[in-house]
Amino acid sequence: MRVHSAWFMLGSLVVIAVASIAFLFYEASIDSDAAPWLVLGNHVLLSLLVRSRFGIIWLFRFILIFVAFVL
């Protein structure tokens, strides 16, 4: 029984991490008025992560997801 719940929790964390990264790309594309695949080329992601309240909160949330994944 414990093995099934551990796999479920691991799968849930992966889904949350992927969705969080997708949301970051979406926000960066909205912020720069560009397509989501273009935000890597013009440094919008780095600017969004470092210079905005959304980025700071996103980084903190992603660190918590990573810590939960490691534990």
Side-chain angles (χ1 to χ4, degrees):
M1 195 68 138
R2 289 181 148 206
V3 173
H4 294 294
S5 62
W7 280 108
F8 179 74
M9 290 178 65
L10 179 66
S12 299
L13 284 172
V14 168
V15 167
I16 290 170
V18 168
S20 183
I21 291 170
F23 186 59
L24 175 67
F25 275 87
Y26 172 75
E27 278 295 320
S29 70
I30 295 297
D31 188 39
S32 67
D33 289 329
W37 55 86
L38 295 176
V39 297
L40 290 174
N42 54 6
H43 304 290
V44 175
L45 278 179
L46 183 62
S47 175
L48 182 70
L49 284 175
V50 177
R51 296 187 180 128
S52 69
R53 183 182 303 158
F54 170 80
I56 301 299
I57 292 170
W58 187 91
L59 282 173
F60 184 69
R61 182 177 61 189
F62 202 74
I63 289 170
L64 289 177
I65 292 169
F66 181 73
V67 168
F69 181 76
V70 170
L71 293 177

